[in-house]
Amino acid sequence: MRHPRSSAIDADAWPGVATVPAGRLVSVRARLAEAAFARACDAAGLDLDPTGEPDLVVEHEGLFARLAVAGWLGLAESYLAGEWHADDLVDVLAALLATGYRPRAGLPRGRSLGAYTGGELPTELVRLSSGDGMSAFGGVFATGVPTTVRTAVPSHVPGGRGPDTHFIDLTTISEPTSAERDDLGDAQARAVTMLLDAARVTAGTHLLEFPSTGGAVAIGASARRATVDTLTADPEQAHVVGERLTLAGVDDSVSTQVIDHPVPGPRDVRGRFDAIVSVDKLHVLAPRDRVALVRGFDRLLTVGGHVGLQTVVATDAMTHSGRAAIEALRAYIWPDLDYPTATEIHRLVDRESGLRVIGQTHLGSHTGLSLAMQHSLFDAHAREAAAAGFDVVFRRLWDYQFALRQALFRLGMLDAVQLTLTHRNRRGRR
């Protein structure tokens, strides 16, 4: 069934949004889904009464058919279609997640972008929601206080080689205070500084950055008089980054290369690097590509060098409801998105490479605040986004993905970490 507001929705671009599920069986399941949704909202303390001050307003009953067919994905698609809205979307999603709401999809239907091929977020989209005009990653605010302890963690080296545990520097940074939206750019620059410090980037360092972060890491490393090779599988990203590097006056010390694969293989990059930096790539890769990424770090990093890796991880607080909610992000933005735990990353590094994690810094509260500021910036630039060609459905999608990730961070289901890696055997390969 075509959506009642179909004239405002491009059915070719958004088939799952433009079409409301229909049929006798769907109608039966929709009634059950409506009752379950009402119970979940009641348990979450969410007011649905349109005559009062509702927390969310249901504009069209298509919401319940979508819930019956596609669960949390249907909830997201219904929001994209304008069938429901909320004054505070983060509060609503967090409340539903906190109750463990997990609508059962009776007639699942796939939404897939296909396998991830290395494309990055549109640079104009990032500009409209970043503090520095080029970075999509979270920042670290100046008011956070770091505390570091030496901690033993399990080793996962195959074959029982080496001790059962090893030590890492485990750092937590206290929640930021008194931060404002104008502080986001400085916070993102501070995250870059921490990564470059973790990778021991100094004058004369030959640094590999993958993927390109839009220019921030390359410019920061160049300021330290390092030589940088930055890689991307997105030609448009490479073009824009090249222009930014020229404007920053660092294009002579940075080489930007377009590769044909999501993860650089032996034919894409040759030689060794003193340092490697990777930001927000691991959690959007398929399992096989994660293995290839870690093996690439091992192959490309010179002995005694260091990797600075920033990624989002799932915590022990992650629930089945949280995992189900993420399906919407896989369906429309990151097809292979699957947040690993920090322990799973340690296991991946130990088992698939000669590297080892020696430092781990937790940034969750800072990333959560960064997302809130990025969300606010995007809302403030809504007209610019429309003028740039992002239609109303896409703008709702971007609103929803910010809100969902904020909710997951607020509930402690997601965290962000910076990891420092180096070779287990500093004198040579294992």
Side-chain angles (χ1 to χ4, degrees):
M1 181 174 67
R2 287 283 288 159
H3 190 273
R5 298 186 180 93
S6 59
S7 60
I9 300 175
D10 184 340
D12 292 330
W14 308 98
V17 179
T19 303
V20 180
R24 182 175 301 175
L25 183 56
V26 170
S27 297
V28 173
R29 292 186 180 275
R31 289 195 293 272
L32 297 175
E34 181 177 5
F37 184 71
R39 289 193 299 269
C41 288
D42 183 62
L46 297 174
D47 187 358
L48 301 178
D49 185 358
T51 63
E53 297 182 356
D55 295 296
L56 66 92
V57 176
V58 178
E59 300 279 5
H60 190 269
E61 63 183 4
L63 164 64
F64 308 116
R66 295 181 193 269
L67 286 172
V69 168
W72 268 96
L73 173 57
L75 181 71
E77 290 180 331
S78 182
Y79 182 82
L80 304 191
E83 293 168 353
W84 67 276
H85 63 86
D87 287 339
D88 194 323
L89 183 58
V90 180
D91 280 353
V92 168
L93 295 178
L96 290 172
L97 288 165
T99 67
Y101 178 57
R102 191 182 180 191
R104 179 171 296 180
L107 299 170
R109 53 179 181 171
R111 295 278 183 278
S112 177
L113 299 173
Y116 174 66
T117 59
E120 303 296 339
L121 297 177
T123 54
E124 183 65 8
L125 183 67
V126 173
R127 184 187 70 79
L128 295 173
S129 56
S130 66
D132 62 3
M134 54 185 161
S135 302
F137 53 82
V140 180
F141 296 89
T143 52
V145 178
T147 302
T148 302
V149 295
R150 192 76 169 155
T151 304
V153 297
S155 295
H156 305 281
V157 180
R161 297 190 298 274
D164 294 333
T165 62
H166 68 278
F167 286 90
I168 67 169
D169 292 325
L170 182 63
T171 302
T172 56
I173 301 181
S174 63
E175 292 188 10
T177 59
S178 304
E180 299 180 355
R181 196 171 72 182
D182 289 343
D183 297 323
L184 179 58
D186 179 66
Q188 290 176 314
R190 187 170 293 102
V192 170
T193 296
M194 289 173 57
L195 280 165
L196 295 175
D197 288 346
R200 293 15 175 210
V201 176
T202 59
T205 296
H206 192 185
L207 170 69
L208 174 67
E209 181 200 16
F210 177 78
S212 169
T213 53
V217 168
I219 293 171
S222 296
R224 300 187 180 202
R225 292 182 294 157
T227 300
V228 185
D229 284 14
T230 182
L231 306 180
T232 178
D234 188 327
E236 176 60 24
Q237 170 91 339
H239 174 71
V240 173
V241 169
E243 292 181 339
R244 288 173 179 164
L245 297 175
T246 299
L247 288 173
V250 299
D251 51 313
D252 287 343
S253 59
V254 181
S255 171
T256 303
Q257 179 183 344
V258 178
I259 60 176
D260 295 329
H261 312 95
V263 175
R267 296 183 179 180
D268 295 312
V269 187
R270 299 185 184 277
R272 297 281 177 82
F273 296 84
D274 305 311
I276 300 173
V277 167
S278 181
V279 183
D280 283 358
K281 177 58 62 173
L282 187 72
H283 60 268
V284 302
L285 294 175
R288 65 181 182 279
D289 288 330
R290 293 181 187 180
V291 171
L293 182 68
V294 170
R295 289 178 177 175
F297 291 161
D298 190 7
R299 183 182 69 252
L300 295 168
L301 186 68
T302 188
V303 173
H306 293 81
V307 178
L309 171 68
Q310 181 167 313
T311 191
V312 177
V313 296
T315 71
D316 292 341
M318 177 60 77
T319 63
H320 292 301
S321 179
R323 293 281 185 191
I326 293 167
E327 179 62 32
L329 307 187
R330 278 194 291 269
Y332 285 100
I333 308 173
W334 300 287
D336 292 315
L337 176 67
D338 185 17
Y339 298 110
T341 65
T343 298
E344 288 170 342
I345 296 176
H346 283 248
R347 185 180 297 118
L348 172 68
V349 171
D350 281 351
R351 291 183 175 178
E352 300 295 343
S353 75
L355 303 174
R356 167 154 289 162
V357 176
I358 62 169
Q360 181 171 310
T361 300
H362 289 262
L363 314 171
S365 60
H366 292 255
T367 302
L369 180 57
S370 297
L371 284 169
M373 292 179 177
Q374 289 170 306
H375 195 174
S376 175
L377 279 167
F378 184 74
D379 285 347
H381 292 124
R383 289 186 178 181
E384 288 183 62
F390 299 108
D391 67 14
V392 63
V393 178
F394 192 100
R395 299 197 300 275
R396 287 185 189 134
L397 170 64
W398 223 239
D399 182 39
Y400 187 90
Q401 67 85 21
F402 274 131
L404 177 58
R405 290 195 289 154
Q406 284 175 252
L408 291 166
F409 271 96
R410 178 187 295 181
L411 296 172
M413 295 186 188
L414 292 181
D415 191 4
V417 295
Q418 286 189 356
L419 302 173
T420 304
L421 287 62
T422 193
H423 285 107
R424 289 195 293 270
N425 184 349
R426 306 295 180 87
R427 294 170 296 178
R429 299 289 176 177
R430 57 175 179 156

